[in-house]
Amino acid sequence: MGFLNALFGRSKPVRPDLDQLFGVPSAALTLEAAAGFRPTGFGSVCFAAVEGAAFTEVAGQIRALLDADTERGGVPVEVSQDSYGYSWLLARHTPEELPDLVNDLHAVNSELEANGFGPQLLCSIVGFRNAADRPLGLVYLYKRGTFYPFAPLPGEKRDNPLELQVKAMLGNDLRVEQDLTRWFPVWGAPGL
């Protein structure tokens, strides 16, 4: 079977590797040292919600898990829907708590995946800003197991040179998506 796939140019899709998210804190150090971008403490997960009691129950479990620290001063997660009908779950921490934010994003992705809703996962984003208040997002593509930088500008434009610069900076820290056509814009994503 492997020989025929190679002969006909078919390849297996990359399997998601959620543990790649744990590389974000070291990538944050590189971003700050090389380009002055610091974590904002905001991160979000985008997924296609589905109808049904099973999905509603899993979504409730995820919110309860992430909101468990609200009694100790944590900020409750926010759920929103974008103009394309996708759902976003926004988690907030202080910028210094980037590892905790990454743990939350990993937990959301893992819980959805473990309950059979992995195909509904689209991406996760961790927000950064520089001293000039320019936004930058590190986007994790669930279905590809890779990251790419997204640098939005006003008027739904992108700072492509900055994105390519960040790609070069993070090559040793994260599995960066090499196919630039998969660097989708995520306009208005919560946390950016």
Side-chain angles (χ1 to χ4, degrees), residues 46-66:
C46 182
F47 54 93
V50 294
E51 299 290 326
F55 187 82
T56 302
E57 182 179 331
V58 170
Q61 290 171 357
I62 290 169
R63 285 191 76 163
L65 173 70
L66 297 182

mmCIF file with all atom_site columns, all heavy atoms in Angstrom, residues 46-66:
data_model
loop_
_atom_site.group_PDB
_atom_site.id
_atom_site.type_symbol
_atom_site.label_atom_id
_atom_site.label_alt_id
_atom_site.label_comp_id
_atom_site.label_asym_id
_atom_site.label_entity_id
_atom_site.label_seq_id
_atom_site.pdbx_PDB_ins_code
_atom_site.Cartn_x
_atom_site.Cartn_y
_atom_site.Cartn_z
_atom_site.occupancy
_atom_site.B_iso_or_equiv
_atom_site.pdbx_formal_charge
_atom_site.auth_seq_id
_atom_site.auth_comp_id
_atom_site.auth_asym_id
_atom_site.auth_atom_id
_atom_site.pdbx_PDB_model_num
ATOM 1   N N   . CYS A 1 46 ? -10.302 27.882 17.830 1.00 0.00 ? 46 CYS A N   1
ATOM 2   C CA  . CYS A 1 46 ? -11.409 27.984 16.876 1.00 0.00 ? 46 CYS A CA  1
ATOM 3   C C   . CYS A 1 46 ? -11.859 26.580 16.488 1.00 0.00 ? 46 CYS A C   1
ATOM 4   O O   . CYS A 1 46 ? -11.037 25.710 16.189 1.00 0.00 ? 46 CYS A O   1
ATOM 5   C CB  . CYS A 1 46 ? -10.948 28.752 15.634 1.00 0.00 ? 46 CYS A CB  1
ATOM 6   S SG  . CYS A 1 46 ? -12.250 28.978 14.406 1.00 0.00 ? 46 CYS A SG  1
ATOM 7   N N   . PHE A 1 47 ? -13.169 26.375 16.485 1.00 0.00 ? 47 PHE A N   1
ATOM 8   C CA  . PHE A 1 47 ? -13.715 25.079 16.118 1.00 0.00 ? 47 PHE A CA  1
ATOM 9   C C   . PHE A 1 47 ? -15.090 25.265 15.499 1.00 0.00 ? 47 PHE A C   1
ATOM 10  O O   . PHE A 1 47 ? -15.754 26.289 15.693 1.00 0.00 ? 47 PHE A O   1
ATOM 11  C CB  . PHE A 1 47 ? -13.798 24.138 17.330 1.00 0.00 ? 47 PHE A CB  1
ATOM 12  C CG  . PHE A 1 47 ? -14.544 24.710 18.504 1.00 0.00 ? 47 PHE A CG  1
ATOM 13  C CD1 . PHE A 1 47 ? -15.900 24.475 18.677 1.00 0.00 ? 47 PHE A CD1 1
ATOM 14  C CD2 . PHE A 1 47 ? -13.882 25.495 19.447 1.00 0.00 ? 47 PHE A CD2 1
ATOM 15  C CE1 . PHE A 1 47 ? -16.580 25.009 19.765 1.00 0.00 ? 47 PHE A CE1 1
ATOM 16  C CE2 . PHE A 1 47 ? -14.552 26.023 20.535 1.00 0.00 ? 47 PHE A CE2 1
ATOM 17  C CZ  . PHE A 1 47 ? -15.906 25.779 20.694 1.00 0.00 ? 47 PHE A CZ  1
ATOM 18  N N   . ALA A 1 48 ? -15.489 24.283 14.731 1.00 0.00 ? 48 ALA A N   1
ATOM 19  C CA  . ALA A 1 48 ? -16.825 24.279 14.140 1.00 0.00 ? 48 ALA A CA  1
ATOM 20  C C   . ALA A 1 48 ? -17.744 23.553 15.117 1.00 0.00 ? 48 ALA A C   1
ATOM 21  O O   . ALA A 1 48 ? -17.590 22.354 15.340 1.00 0.00 ? 48 ALA A O   1
ATOM 22  C CB  . ALA A 1 48 ? -16.818 23.577 12.791 1.00 0.00 ? 48 ALA A CB  1
ATOM 23  N N   . ALA A 1 49 ? -18.644 24.294 15.725 1.00 0.00 ? 49 ALA A N   1
ATOM 24  C CA  . ALA A 1 49 ? -19.575 23.688 16.675 1.00 0.00 ? 49 ALA A CA  1
ATOM 25  C C   . ALA A 1 49 ? -20.559 22.798 15.923 1.00 0.00 ? 49 ALA A C   1
ATOM 26  O O   . ALA A 1 49 ? -20.883 23.057 14.769 1.00 0.00 ? 49 ALA A O   1
ATOM 27  C CB  . ALA A 1 49 ? -20.324 24.769 17.446 1.00 0.00 ? 49 ALA A CB  1
ATOM 28  N N   . VAL A 1 50 ? -20.983 21.756 16.584 1.00 0.00 ? 50 VAL A N   1
ATOM 29  C CA  . VAL A 1 50 ? -21.964 20.859 15.981 1.00 0.00 ? 50 VAL A CA  1
ATOM 30  C C   . VAL A 1 50 ? -23.180 20.786 16.893 1.00 0.00 ? 50 VAL A C   1
ATOM 31  O O   . VAL A 1 50 ? -23.091 21.034 18.091 1.00 0.00 ? 50 VAL A O   1
ATOM 32  C CB  . VAL A 1 50 ? -21.377 19.442 15.748 1.00 0.00 ? 50 VAL A CB  1
ATOM 33  C CG1 . VAL A 1 50 ? -20.287 19.481 14.709 1.00 0.00 ? 50 VAL A CG1 1
ATOM 34  C CG2 . VAL A 1 50 ? -20.865 18.831 17.025 1.00 0.00 ? 50 VAL A CG2 1
ATOM 35  N N   . GLU A 1 51 ? -24.295 20.449 16.291 1.00 0.00 ? 51 GLU A N   1
ATOM 36  C CA  . GLU A 1 51 ? -25.534 20.293 17.047 1.00 0.00 ? 51 GLU A CA  1
ATOM 37  C C   . GLU A 1 51 ? -25.505 18.971 17.799 1.00 0.00 ? 51 GLU A C   1
ATOM 38  O O   . GLU A 1 51 ? -24.897 18.013 17.361 1.00 0.00 ? 51 GLU A O   1
ATOM 39  C CB  . GLU A 1 51 ? -26.734 20.303 16.092 1.00 0.00 ? 51 GLU A CB  1
ATOM 40  C CG  . GLU A 1 51 ? -26.895 21.585 15.308 1.00 0.00 ? 51 GLU A CG  1
ATOM 41  C CD  . GLU A 1 51 ? -27.337 22.750 16.167 1.00 0.00 ? 51 GLU A CD  1
ATOM 42  O OE1 . GLU A 1 51 ? -28.106 22.524 17.119 1.00 0.00 ? 51 GLU A OE1 1
ATOM 43  O OE2 . GLU A 1 51 ? -26.899 23.868 15.889 1.00 0.00 ? 51 GLU A OE2 1
ATOM 44  N N   . GLY A 1 52 ? -26.150 18.947 18.929 1.00 0.00 ? 52 GLY A N   1
ATOM 45  C CA  . GLY A 1 52 ? -26.294 17.687 19.628 1.00 0.00 ? 52 GLY A CA  1
ATOM 46  C C   . GLY A 1 52 ? -25.869 17.763 21.076 1.00 0.00 ? 52 GLY A C   1
ATOM 47  O O   . GLY A 1 52 ? -25.067 18.600 21.473 1.00 0.00 ? 52 GLY A O   1
ATOM 48  N N   . ALA A 1 53 ? -26.422 16.848 21.839 1.00 0.00 ? 53 ALA A N   1
ATOM 49  C CA  . ALA A 1 53 ? -26.187 16.829 23.278 1.00 0.00 ? 53 ALA A CA  1
ATOM 50  C C   . ALA A 1 53 ? -24.750 16.469 23.618 1.00 0.00 ? 53 ALA A C   1
ATOM 51  O O   . ALA A 1 53 ? -24.182 17.002 24.577 1.00 0.00 ? 53 ALA A O   1
ATOM 52  C CB  . ALA A 1 53 ? -27.140 15.838 23.940 1.00 0.00 ? 53 ALA A CB  1
ATOM 53  N N   . ALA A 1 54 ? -24.125 15.581 22.840 1.00 0.00 ? 54 ALA A N   1
ATOM 54  C CA  . ALA A 1 54 ? -22.758 15.156 23.153 1.00 0.00 ? 54 ALA A CA  1
ATOM 55  C C   . ALA A 1 54 ? -21.793 16.339 23.059 1.00 0.00 ? 54 ALA A C   1
ATOM 56  O O   . ALA A 1 54 ? -20.966 16.541 23.946 1.00 0.00 ? 54 ALA A O   1
ATOM 57  C CB  . ALA A 1 54 ? -22.317 14.039 22.211 1.00 0.00 ? 54 ALA A CB  1
ATOM 58  N N   . PHE A 1 55 ? -21.929 17.124 22.002 1.00 0.00 ? 55 PHE A N   1
ATOM 59  C CA  . PHE A 1 55 ? -21.030 18.271 21.845 1.00 0.00 ? 55 PHE A CA  1
ATOM 60  C C   . PHE A 1 55 ? -21.301 19.322 22.917 1.00 0.00 ? 55 PHE A C   1
ATOM 61  O O   . PHE A 1 55 ? -20.380 19.890 23.485 1.00 0.00 ? 55 PHE A O   1
ATOM 62  C CB  . PHE A 1 55 ? -21.158 18.892 20.456 1.00 0.00 ? 55 PHE A CB  1
ATOM 63  C CG  . PHE A 1 55 ? -20.142 19.966 20.210 1.00 0.00 ? 55 PHE A CG  1
ATOM 64  C CD1 . PHE A 1 55 ? -18.857 19.635 19.816 1.00 0.00 ? 55 PHE A CD1 1
ATOM 65  C CD2 . PHE A 1 55 ? -20.457 21.294 20.401 1.00 0.00 ? 55 PHE A CD2 1
ATOM 66  C CE1 . PHE A 1 55 ? -17.905 20.616 19.610 1.00 0.00 ? 55 PHE A CE1 1
ATOM 67  C CE2 . PHE A 1 55 ? -19.513 22.288 20.204 1.00 0.00 ? 55 PHE A CE2 1
ATOM 68  C CZ  . PHE A 1 55 ? -18.229 21.946 19.807 1.00 0.00 ? 55 PHE A CZ  1
ATOM 69  N N   . THR A 1 56 ? -22.563 19.557 23.209 1.00 0.00 ? 56 THR A N   1
ATOM 70  C CA  . THR A 1 56 ? -22.930 20.524 24.241 1.00 0.00 ? 56 THR A CA  1
ATOM 71  C C   . THR A 1 56 ? -22.354 20.115 25.591 1.00 0.00 ? 56 THR A C   1
ATOM 72  O O   . THR A 1 56 ? -21.846 20.946 26.346 1.00 0.00 ? 56 THR A O   1
ATOM 73  C CB  . THR A 1 56 ? -24.465 20.660 24.321 1.00 0.00 ? 56 THR A CB  1
ATOM 74  O OG1 . THR A 1 56 ? -24.953 21.050 23.040 1.00 0.00 ? 56 THR A OG1 1
ATOM 75  C CG2 . THR A 1 56 ? -24.882 21.674 25.361 1.00 0.00 ? 56 THR A CG2 1
ATOM 76  N N   . GLU A 1 57 ? -22.393 18.814 25.888 1.00 0.00 ? 57 GLU A N   1
ATOM 77  C CA  . GLU A 1 57 ? -21.853 18.319 27.152 1.00 0.00 ? 57 GLU A CA  1
ATOM 78  C C   . GLU A 1 57 ? -20.334 18.516 27.218 1.00 0.00 ? 57 GLU A C   1
ATOM 79  O O   . GLU A 1 57 ? -19.803 18.969 28.228 1.00 0.00 ? 57 GLU A O   1
ATOM 80  C CB  . GLU A 1 57 ? -22.193 16.836 27.328 1.00 0.00 ? 57 GLU A CB  1
ATOM 81  C CG  . GLU A 1 57 ? -21.707 16.264 28.640 1.00 0.00 ? 57 GLU A CG  1
ATOM 82  C CD  . GLU A 1 57 ? -22.090 14.800 28.800 1.00 0.00 ? 57 GLU A CD  1
ATOM 83  O OE1 . GLU A 1 57 ? -23.112 14.379 28.240 1.00 0.00 ? 57 GLU A OE1 1
ATOM 84  O OE2 . GLU A 1 57 ? -21.336 14.097 29.495 1.00 0.00 ? 57 GLU A OE2 1
ATOM 85  N N   . VAL A 1 58 ? -19.639 18.202 26.126 1.00 0.00 ? 58 VAL A N   1
ATOM 86  C CA  . VAL A 1 58 ? -18.183 18.372 26.095 1.00 0.00 ? 58 VAL A CA  1
ATOM 87  C C   . VAL A 1 58 ? -17.823 19.845 26.219 1.00 0.00 ? 58 VAL A C   1
ATOM 88  O O   . VAL A 1 58 ? -16.911 20.216 26.968 1.00 0.00 ? 58 VAL A O   1
ATOM 89  C CB  . VAL A 1 58 ? -17.590 17.754 24.806 1.00 0.00 ? 58 VAL A CB  1
ATOM 90  C CG1 . VAL A 1 58 ? -16.124 18.139 24.641 1.00 0.00 ? 58 VAL A CG1 1
ATOM 91  C CG2 . VAL A 1 58 ? -17.744 16.247 24.826 1.00 0.00 ? 58 VAL A CG2 1
ATOM 92  N N   . ALA A 1 59 ? -18.538 20.703 25.518 1.00 0.00 ? 59 ALA A N   1
ATOM 93  C CA  . ALA A 1 59 ? -18.276 22.144 25.600 1.00 0.00 ? 59 ALA A CA  1
ATOM 94  C C   . ALA A 1 59 ? -18.482 22.642 27.030 1.00 0.00 ? 59 ALA A C   1
ATOM 95  O O   . ALA A 1 59 ? -17.707 23.466 27.528 1.00 0.00 ? 59 ALA A O   1
ATOM 96  C CB  . ALA A 1 59 ? -19.180 22.898 24.631 1.00 0.00 ? 59 ALA A CB  1
ATOM 97  N N   . GLY A 1 60 ? -19.506 22.145 27.709 1.00 0.00 ? 60 GLY A N   1
ATOM 98  C CA  . GLY A 1 60 ? -19.746 22.515 29.104 1.00 0.00 ? 60 GLY A CA  1
ATOM 99  C C   . GLY A 1 60 ? -18.620 22.046 30.014 1.00 0.00 ? 60 GLY A C   1
ATOM 100 O O   . GLY A 1 60 ? -18.208 22.767 30.928 1.00 0.00 ? 60 GLY A O   1
ATOM 101 N N   . GLN A 1 61 ? -18.124 20.839 29.766 1.00 0.00 ? 61 GLN A N   1
ATOM 102 C CA  . GLN A 1 61 ? -17.008 20.309 30.565 1.00 0.00 ? 61 GLN A CA  1
ATOM 103 C C   . GLN A 1 61 ? -15.752 21.167 30.377 1.00 0.00 ? 61 GLN A C   1
ATOM 104 O O   . GLN A 1 61 ? -15.032 21.442 31.335 1.00 0.00 ? 61 GLN A O   1
ATOM 105 C CB  . GLN A 1 61 ? -16.703 18.870 30.163 1.00 0.00 ? 61 GLN A CB  1
ATOM 106 C CG  . GLN A 1 61 ? -17.755 17.875 30.565 1.00 0.00 ? 61 GLN A CG  1
ATOM 107 C CD  . GLN A 1 61 ? -17.508 16.502 29.947 1.00 0.00 ? 61 GLN A CD  1
ATOM 108 O OE1 . GLN A 1 61 ? -16.582 16.300 29.167 1.00 0.00 ? 61 GLN A OE1 1
ATOM 109 N NE2 . GLN A 1 61 ? -18.362 15.553 30.299 1.00 0.00 ? 61 GLN A NE2 1
ATOM 110 N N   . ILE A 1 62 ? -15.511 21.587 29.150 1.00 0.00 ? 62 ILE A N   1
ATOM 111 C CA  . ILE A 1 62 ? -14.334 22.410 28.857 1.00 0.00 ? 62 ILE A CA  1
ATOM 112 C C   . ILE A 1 62 ? -14.436 23.750 29.580 1.00 0.00 ? 62 ILE A C   1
ATOM 113 O O   . ILE A 1 62 ? -13.482 24.203 30.218 1.00 0.00 ? 62 ILE A O   1
ATOM 114 C CB  . ILE A 1 62 ? -14.177 22.609 27.336 1.00 0.00 ? 62 ILE A CB  1
ATOM 115 C CG1 . ILE A 1 62 ? -13.762 21.290 26.675 1.00 0.00 ? 62 ILE A CG1 1
ATOM 116 C CG2 . ILE A 1 62 ? -13.169 23.705 27.029 1.00 0.00 ? 62 ILE A CG2 1
ATOM 117 C CD1 . ILE A 1 62 ? -13.823 21.301 25.174 1.00 0.00 ? 62 ILE A CD1 1
ATOM 118 N N   . ARG A 1 63 ? -15.594 24.374 29.494 1.00 0.00 ? 63 ARG A N   1
ATOM 119 C CA  . ARG A 1 63 ? -15.772 25.662 30.183 1.00 0.00 ? 63 ARG A CA  1
ATOM 120 C C   . ARG A 1 63 ? -15.612 25.502 31.688 1.00 0.00 ? 63 ARG A C   1
ATOM 121 O O   . ARG A 1 63 ? -14.981 26.328 32.347 1.00 0.00 ? 63 ARG A O   1
ATOM 122 C CB  . ARG A 1 63 ? -17.127 26.265 29.853 1.00 0.00 ? 63 ARG A CB  1
ATOM 123 C CG  . ARG A 1 63 ? -17.159 26.844 28.444 1.00 0.00 ? 63 ARG A CG  1
ATOM 124 C CD  . ARG A 1 63 ? -18.372 27.641 28.215 1.00 0.00 ? 63 ARG A CD  1
ATOM 125 N NE  . ARG A 1 63 ? -18.215 28.935 28.892 1.00 0.00 ? 63 ARG A NE  1
ATOM 126 C CZ  . ARG A 1 63 ? -18.942 29.975 28.633 1.00 0.00 ? 63 ARG A CZ  1
ATOM 127 N NH1 . ARG A 1 63 ? -19.883 29.907 27.718 1.00 0.00 ? 63 ARG A NH1 1
ATOM 128 N NH2 . ARG A 1 63 ? -18.763 31.107 29.271 1.00 0.00 ? 63 ARG A NH2 1
ATOM 129 N N   . ALA A 1 64 ? -16.179 24.447 32.245 1.00 0.00 ? 64 ALA A N   1
ATOM 130 C CA  . ALA A 1 64 ? -16.052 24.215 33.696 1.00 0.00 ? 64 ALA A CA  1
ATOM 131 C C   . ALA A 1 64 ? -14.595 23.998 34.081 1.00 0.00 ? 64 ALA A C   1
ATOM 132 O O   . ALA A 1 64 ? -14.134 24.529 35.105 1.00 0.00 ? 64 ALA A O   1
ATOM 133 C CB  . ALA A 1 64 ? -16.896 23.012 34.103 1.00 0.00 ? 64 ALA A CB  1
ATOM 134 N N   . LEU A 1 65 ? -13.857 23.267 33.259 1.00 0.00 ? 65 LEU A N   1
ATOM 135 C CA  . LEU A 1 65 ? -12.440 23.022 33.529 1.00 0.00 ? 65 LEU A CA  1
ATOM 136 C C   . LEU A 1 65 ? -11.647 24.326 33.516 1.00 0.00 ? 65 LEU A C   1
ATOM 137 O O   . LEU A 1 65 ? -10.878 24.612 34.431 1.00 0.00 ? 65 LEU A O   1
ATOM 138 C CB  . LEU A 1 65 ? -11.882 22.056 32.484 1.00 0.00 ? 65 LEU A CB  1
ATOM 139 C CG  . LEU A 1 65 ? -10.381 21.807 32.509 1.00 0.00 ? 65 LEU A CG  1
ATOM 140 C CD1 . LEU A 1 65 ? -10.008 20.999 33.746 1.00 0.00 ? 65 LEU A CD1 1
ATOM 141 C CD2 . LEU A 1 65 ? -9.948  21.076 31.247 1.00 0.00 ? 65 LEU A CD2 1
ATOM 142 N N   . LEU A 1 66 ? -11.853 25.145 32.496 1.00 0.00 ? 66 LEU A N   1
ATOM 143 C CA  . LEU A 1 66 ? -11.086 26.381 32.365 1.00 0.00 ? 66 LEU A CA  1
ATOM 144 C C   . LEU A 1 66 ? -11.550 27.464 33.334 1.00 0.00 ? 66 LEU A C   1
ATOM 145 O O   . LEU A 1 66 ? -10.768 28.349 33.680 1.00 0.00 ? 66 LEU A O   1
ATOM 146 C CB  . LEU A 1 66 ? -11.134 26.900 30.930 1.00 0.00 ? 66 LEU A CB  1
ATOM 147 C CG  . LEU A 1 66 ? -10.497 25.983 29.883 1.00 0.00 ? 66 LEU A CG  1
ATOM 148 C CD1 . LEU A 1 66 ? -10.556 26.623 28.511 1.00 0.00 ? 66 LEU A CD1 1
ATOM 149 C CD2 . LEU A 1 66 ? -9.080  25.614 30.250 1.00 0.00 ? 66 LEU A CD2 1
#
